[in-house]
Amino acid sequence: MEAHARAGIDIVGRSLRYAEIEKYGPRYRLLRLGSCDFEFDVAEGVLSNPSDESITIVSDALGDVFSGSVTEVLHVAIHPPDCYSFLSPLPAGSSETRRNVRLQQEAALLAGTERSLHITADLVRSESLDDGSTVDWVQVLAVEEAVHERIYRIVNPLPQPAKRLVVSMHAAASTLIHVAPPAHAIDPSGFSLAIGMFPHCVEYVLCRDGVVHFNTYTDPVPPLDVAFFGAHVADRFGLRPRDIDAVYLYGTDADPGHFSDLESVFDSEVSLLNPLTVLDVDQGGFGADFGAEGYAGCIGAAL
């Protein structure tokens, strides 16, 4: 059975978390996992207010982390608002050229710019319409070309031959669909909601039976407002809060102290999203203070 390895990195504040995972059949083996901590905000020092020194420091640190890696693919998870992200329905079977033109137009409208943007798109689900046609829903990430060039300067020296950007919420969804129970295990609805808590934003990811249906983000807000906005996300699909089978928290600021507000709104047990449960690892080998939920992004990016 052939094995394939991928790596993922997740940029949050002063830290850069990384994971390297080998897929062997239906199982995942952990090759690398950890974080690099810096004296400056990495996203600001690289993406929004860059300096050559910051770029060099981050690139050198990643070079040390992945020294000797034989991983084929590296995914770099970017969080909003450092990128533009949206889900877009595209006619199934349309050419790559037509899709790229349309996504460039949609991204430009969202960004309010006429400049060309660097875009990546990942298929999340296909949907059959009443008229018999099919649309492909894709997760789109767009950044200015200058931002993409700076990220490329950081990761280009790394040994992985293929490198691409992914939306942080899409990476978290990859973890969620492996952890969340299937519909028949709890309730026929099968919807799971993951909420990502970070210093700069709150992310919302709605999945059903291993398929992404929606994601969005807000600025940081109090826990009760987080819960009510999560209920609003469910309402977009005609769901009541109690129709959500499972609610998870992830991210560097995920706190079990927020569970009570979420549980009161969703009338459901809330759990931390633990990506280690996806991997063939002995969780007892990690310290009691190891916040696995903070690694949902980098592990999801590598799955």
Side-chain angles (χ1 to χ4, degrees), residues 63-193:
D64 291 339
V65 164
F66 289 109
S67 176
S69 171
V70 295
T71 305
E72 301 167 355
V73 179
L74 172 68
H75 286 167
V76 182
I78 307 296
H79 292 258
D82 294 319
C83 67
Y84 303 101
S85 68
F86 56 95
L87 289 165
S88 179
L90 299 173
S94 57
S95 68
E96 184 176 353
T97 299
R98 292 186 62 183
R99 289 188 172 208
N100 288 341
V101 169
R102 175 168 169 175
L103 294 180
Q104 277 284 353
Q105 292 172 341
E106 293 179 357
L109 286 173
L110 178 64
T113 181
E114 296 182 358
R115 296 192 298 272
S116 177
L117 300 169
H118 177 83
I119 286 178
T120 61
D122 294 285
L123 177 66
V124 296
R125 73 178 190 274
S126 296
E127 180 181 1
S128 297
L129 304 182
D130 292 339
D131 62 4
S133 62
T134 302
V135 296
D136 292 335
W137 285 89
V138 296
Q139 175 71 66
V140 183
L141 175 148
V143 295
E144 294 188 1
E145 288 290 353
V147 172
H148 178 250
E149 289 173 6
R150 291 195 290 272
I151 297 173
Y152 184 80
R153 285 176 58 190
I154 290 172
V155 300
N156 185 46
L158 301 180
Q160 293 84 5
K163 306 172 179 74
R164 68 193 304 270
L165 308 184
V166 296
V167 180
S168 58
M169 295 172 290
H170 184 66
S174 295
T175 297
L176 176 62
I177 62 179
H178 282 83
V179 173
H184 61 78
I186 297 181
D187 184 87
S189 79
F191 279 97
S192 299
L193 177 68

Side-chain angles (χ1 to χ4, degrees), residues 19-290:
E20 187 173 37
I21 296 170
E22 182 181 61
K23 186 177 188 297
Y24 188 77
R27 307 177 71 174
Y28 295 93
R29 184 165 69 96
L30 183 63
L31 303 179
R32 284 180 173 86
L33 182 68
S35 66
C36 300
D37 297 321
F38 301 90
E39 295 181 353
F40 56 90
D41 187 297
V42 182
E44 181 177 352
V46 172
L47 303 180
S48 59
N49 187 25
S51 71
D52 289 339
E53 182 182 12
S54 298
I55 290 173
T56 299
I57 290 173
V58 175
S59 183
D60 289 347
L62 284 175
D64 291 339
V65 164
F66 289 109
S67 176
S69 171
V70 295
T71 305
E72 301 167 355
V73 179
L74 172 68
H75 286 167
V76 182
I78 307 296
H79 292 258
D82 294 319
C83 67
Y84 303 101
S85 68
F86 56 95
L87 289 165
S88 179
L90 299 173
S94 57
S95 68
E96 184 176 353
T97 299
R98 292 186 62 183
R99 289 188 172 208
N100 288 341
V101 169
R102 175 168 169 175
L103 294 180
Q104 277 284 353
Q105 292 172 341
E106 293 179 357
L109 286 173
L110 178 64
T113 181
E114 296 182 358
R115 296 192 298 272
S116 177
L117 300 169
H118 177 83
I119 286 178
T120 61
D122 294 285
L123 177 66
V124 296
R125 73 178 190 274
S126 296
E127 180 181 1
S128 297
L129 304 182
D130 292 339
D131 62 4
S133 62
T134 302
V135 296
D136 292 335
W137 285 89
V138 296
Q139 175 71 66
V140 183
L141 175 148
V143 295
E144 294 188 1
E145 288 290 353
V147 172
H148 178 250
E149 289 173 6
R150 291 195 290 272
I151 297 173
Y152 184 80
R153 285 176 58 190
I154 290 172
V155 300
N156 185 46
L158 301 180
Q160 293 84 5
K163 306 172 179 74
R164 68 193 304 270
L165 308 184
V166 296
V167 180
S168 58
M169 295 172 290
H170 184 66
S174 295
T175 297
L176 176 62
I177 62 179
H178 282 83
V179 173
H184 61 78
I186 297 181
D187 184 87
S189 79
F191 279 97
S192 299
L193 177 68
I195 300 175
M197 307 289 290
F198 298 95
H200 57 289
C201 71
V202 181
E203 301 177 349
Y204 304 82
V205 182
L206 184 67
C207 293
R208 183 185 188 189
D209 267 358
V211 177
V212 178
H213 280 257
F214 184 69
N215 58 53
T216 187
Y217 77 97
T218 66
D219 292 332
V221 293
L224 188 58
D225 290 341
V226 169
F228 281 118
F229 195 85
H232 174 69
V233 169
D235 184 63
R236 289 177 62 107
F237 289 85
L239 301 171
R240 297 163 298 180
R242 64 175 179 269
D243 293 328
I244 303 298
D245 292 339
V247 180
Y248 298 89
L249 278 184
Y250 70 95
T252 57
D253 286 10
D255 185 347
H258 299 158
F259 284 6
S260 59
D261 290 315
L262 290 165
E263 289 173 347
S264 66
V265 171
F266 287 95
D267 192 26
S268 175
E269 183 178 352
V270 178
S271 305
L272 292 174
L273 184 61
N274 183 359
L276 298 181
T277 60
V278 182
L279 311 174
D280 286 340
V281 295
D282 177 11
Q283 295 192 50
F286 294 85
D289 59 348
F290 180 78

